[in-house]
Amino acid sequence: MTNGVLADHQIRDMIGAGQITAGEIIESSQIQPASLDLRLGSVAYRVRASFLAGRTRTVRERLADFTMHEVQLGGGAVLEKGCVYVVPLLESLALPQGMSAAASAKSSIGRLDLLTRIITDHGVEFDRVPLGYTGPLYVEICPRSFSVVAQPGQMLNQIIFRHGKTFLSDDDLTALHARTPIVSSDPVISDGLGFSVDLKPVDGNLVGYRAKPHTGVIDLSKLNHYDPAEYWEPVHTNDGWIILDPGAFYILVSREAISIPPMQAAEMAPYLAMVGEFRVHYAGFFDPGFGYAEAGGAGSRGVLEVRCHEAPFVLEHGQIVGRLVYENMAAMPDALYGREIKSNYQGQGLKLSKHFRM
């Protein structure tokens, strides 16, 4: 097999070979150009604290240590803000040698400030599945800003599969940009493609949203449903800077429009901690075709999910806040994001999750 991130048809082959299995049939709608959506099982375990299994333990063994009570998700159940839950997923893996996997929250989940991370038996890292892993998958869920209603079968996370060396070096990324522009401005390339925050919009002075501290629940099954004003405060500035408040969660947008060519995928990675008292978090995957002109995009801006740490921090227009790490695909996908795959976020600007009315 060619080194790279597996494409949609290769994921289908893995399902056919029994390397990806599930308690229920795996639907074709779960398969994205370079990833597989993972589904919640029927029960959530409310646990005392977040944990990793560790090299010598299984998640089930750790659940025996930390579970406070069980929550049945059938019919919908509230997962409360500030609490930690572990949910067994319907999908399990039997990866061949030489193949690993990595997981991330889906875009709409990150935009709800819903911390979701995959854990595995004998695992020592969140969202990382080691080479040749065989076993079940679990998701840790911690609602940070809003309590949510979750149900079995809902897809909060996605997983990619990697064979061999996949990441582009800075030299490779520079050459890729020369062939097929991946950013709307001069690229800032250092351990990936740097991107900055937009605090001087072309029209108006709305630059973002801040989560309100006391709101109702959000039912994850209800799309285009909630009034944003009940959950979010708009953030305006005429000065090109804002002050981030400690503990607050913000939705902002990148200044640059980015593009993911068909034979690449990308992952948003946190920027260096020394840039300031904040974190652009919930690192996410960008499928082949995101923002790509031939897939219906003319560059798409990245939505930034930002949480401030202990001290108030001044965030300036154009400040570098994160980076995209590009990876090669192992094969050309059958479908591209925004072309064959219906897209909520192709060509996006500043945008809340699809649960909120536009």
Side-chain angles (χ1 to χ4, degrees), residues 152-346:
Q154 288 180 326
M155 293 171 282
L156 278 57
N157 296 74
Q158 56 194 149
I159 191 167
I160 66 170
F161 301 93
R162 293 173 171 144
H163 185 270
K165 182 180 182 295
T166 65
F167 294 99
L168 276 70
S169 69
D170 286 349
D171 288 343
D172 294 336
L173 200 54
T174 300
L176 174 64
H177 179 72
R179 295 194 308 271
T180 305
I182 57 175
V183 65
S184 58
S185 57
D186 291 336
V188 177
I189 295 177
S190 177
D191 293 328
L193 176 68
F195 57 86
S196 62
V197 63
D198 185 8
L199 298 178
K200 290 183 178 179
V202 174
D203 298 314
N205 61 5
L206 175 68
V207 297
Y209 298 93
R210 170 180 160 154
K212 290 186 172 182
H214 308 292
T215 69
V217 301
I218 293 174
D219 188 330
L220 298 178
S221 69
K222 294 182 177 179
L223 307 182
N224 195 30
H225 178 78
Y226 294 99
D227 180 357
E230 295 181 4
Y231 295 84
W232 300 94
E233 299 171 351
V235 178
H236 299 273
T237 182
N238 293 312
D239 303 314
W241 54 266
I242 60 175
I243 297 177
L244 303 178
D245 291 324
F249 177 76
Y250 297 83
I251 297 292
L252 304 173
V253 68
S254 71
R255 185 169 59 97
E256 302 82 4
I258 59 174
S259 174
I260 312 298
M263 278 299 290
Q264 277 75 41
E267 182 176 6
M268 187 184 291
Y271 206 56
L272 296 175
M274 62 277 291
V275 300
E277 282 292 320
F278 67 93
R279 174 178 163 83
V280 178
H281 58 182
Y282 305 128
F285 296 134
F286 291 75
D287 275 306
F290 179 85
Y292 186 64
E294 294 179 21
S300 293
R301 294 202 282 170
V303 168
L304 312 176
E305 300 132 9
V306 178
R307 178 173 292 281
C308 187
H309 295 326
E310 287 81 6
F313 184 79
V314 175
L315 192 61
E316 305 265 4
H317 174 73
Q319 182 170 344
I320 298 291
V321 294
R323 58 192 171 95
L324 277 180
V325 179
Y326 279 68
E327 302 182 62
N328 287 316
M329 297 292 297
M332 177 71 75
D334 287 342
L336 290 182
Y337 184 91
R339 191 177 69 187
E340 291 85 0
I341 300 293
K342 181 181 177 182
S343 160
N344 288 291
Y345 302 122
Q346 186 76 303

Side-chain angles (χ1 to χ4, degrees), residues 37-52:
D37 293 343
L38 301 172
R39 297 169 294 177
L40 299 180
S42 60
V43 61
Y45 297 93
R46 168 75 168 93
V47 294
R48 287 185 282 160
S50 171
F51 65 85
L52 289 164

